[in-house]
Amino acid sequence: MNTSRILAIESSCDDTAAAVIEDGRVLSNVISSQKEHKDLGGVVPELASRAHQVQIVRVVSEALRMSGVNKADLDAIAVTRGPGLLGPLLVGVNFAKGLSLSLGIPLIEVHHMHAHIMAHFAEPPHPPFPFICLTVSGGHTQLVLAKTHLNMEILGTTLDDAAGEAFDKTGKLLGLPYPAGPWIDRLASQGEPKFKLPIPRIDGLDFSFSGLKTAIMYFLREGEKAEAGFIKNSIADICASVQQTIVNILLEKLERAVDLTGITHVAIAGGVSANSGLRRSLSELSVQKGWSSYIPSFEFCTDNAAMIGIAGYYKYIEGITSDLDMTPEPRGKL
Ligand code: KG4
Ligand code: ZN
């Protein structure tokens, strides 16, 4: 097969990202993360859409420049179709359509959660199929059985909040900036997980985080009632306790998935897979259980366009492309 060069675009949430992939190898990976939402407690869709519009030309140009690939030598454009926020998705999809039309090359739609798993193929070691992937992001928490690059089966999913949301909503209660996951991670490393928080009992391989969120809210309220300044004085221990509880919930289900399927190649993906507590605990559990575990480099955990390009590449070599009348799917199923 001839060399394939794919430009990938990601704009589903608050990162404007572009990457160039050559034969499944990442040549460039450029991300512009929006700071607009930092003090607003979450992503404001309209602000995000506008920021994507401002950034997209620069980010795409930069990705092309860094890759050394000329626009005219591209073979396809891969773009996130969903899930995500409608306005932000529209910016990326419309930009990708325009380029596809003007360059006369195919458009390839990519599912954002599929792409998070495919981030494992951005660099070695690649997990062997079949493997189980715990995909944990700001909007999703899933246990996925990856059978091939393109065949994925959801084994379990969250019934309410996602793991990332549990971090972000806790952060809001603690007065931390959005997204709070990295802040909690950092503060947790300075504290001890000495506060007991409830682990939800959910059947099967599904998850639930809304009970934990409520429990944390009451715990903080009671703490402040008993000791003025409790949150401020104990923030590191609170973060360590919340982080350890979320990690325990996630790994308990991953362990159950391994027991049920007998598959011992396990991976984590998505923004929360950047969490140092999760990475450390998974490594320890893997040694203890004899699993082989796959943990992406930080640059491929949180939203990026390289993962969109890698997912796009595996579709491209199978000849799977999209029509130009494709529209974003904010709630697209995997
Ligand atoms: O995958 P991602 O970048 O975007 C979505 O697809 O949602 O995930 C973003 C989520 C946010 O909830 C953020 O707080 C969380 O990932 N996150 C972390 C860490 N880094 C990002 N959560 C815990 N610890 C981290 N180090
Ligand atoms: Zn994501």
Side-chain angles (χ1 to χ4, degrees), residues 10 12-15 83-84 112-113 116 135-140 162-169 177-186 243 246 269-279 298 300-304 307:
E10 153 65 35
S12 64
C13 192
D14 55 347
D15 297 292
H112 184 87
M113 299 313 289
H116 269 304
T135 320
V136 272
S137 71
H140 293 77
E165 257 173 305
F167 275 105
D168 295 336
K169 288 180 177 171
Y178 176 87
W183 289 87
I184 293 181
D185 193 347
R186 233 168 292 140
Q243 177 170 297
I246 295 173
V272 179
S273 66
N275 183 265
S276 53
L278 178 60
R279 296 165 83 91
F298 287 111
F300 300 124
C301 290
T302 42
D303 286 351
N304 65 88
M307 67 183 195

Side-chain angles (χ1 to χ4, degrees), residues 132-291:
I132 294 174
C133 190
L134 170 69
T135 320
V136 272
S137 71
H140 293 77
T141 300
Q142 296 178 328
L143 272 166
V144 177
L145 172 59
K147 298 173 185 171
T148 68
H149 292 109
L150 298 182
N151 186 354
M152 312 257 158
E153 180 189 333
I154 296 180
L155 303 175
T157 188
T158 182
L159 303 174
D160 39 57
D161 290 356
E165 257 173 305
F167 275 105
D168 295 336
K169 288 180 177 171
T170 301
K172 199 170 175 181
L173 294 171
L174 295 174
L176 299 173
Y178 176 87
W183 289 87
I184 293 181
D185 193 347
R186 233 168 292 140
L187 286 162
S189 67
Q190 299 155 26
E192 288 301 321
K194 62 184 196 190
F195 302 116
K196 274 260 152 305
L197 293 162
I199 300 257
R201 296 284 149 224
I202 307 293
D203 286 343
L205 296 177
D206 288 333
F207 301 86
S208 167
F209 286 98
S210 71
L212 176 64
K213 180 185 63 188
T214 311
I216 293 170
M217 197 178 79
Y218 283 117
F219 165 73
L220 296 177
R221 201 177 284 171
E222 292 304 314
E224 279 292 327
K225 227 187 266 171
E227 171 199 340
F230 167 70
I231 293 180
K232 196 162 159 279
N233 299 339
S234 306
I235 195 153
D237 293 337
I238 296 169
C239 288
S241 308
V242 169
Q243 177 170 297
Q244 191 179 69
T245 307
I246 295 173
V247 169
N248 287 346
I249 294 172
L250 294 171
L251 292 185
E252 191 181 280
K253 292 285 175 166
L254 179 60
E255 198 175 334
R256 199 176 292 178
V258 170
D259 289 344
L260 287 173
T261 59
I263 295 167
T264 54
H265 296 294
V266 297
I268 51 174
V272 179
S273 66
N275 183 265
S276 53
L278 178 60
R279 296 165 83 91
R280 191 174 47 243
S281 299
L282 175 62
S283 301
E284 287 167 5
L285 189 63
S286 299
V287 171
Q288 191 192 324
K289 297 272 175 187
W291 303 346

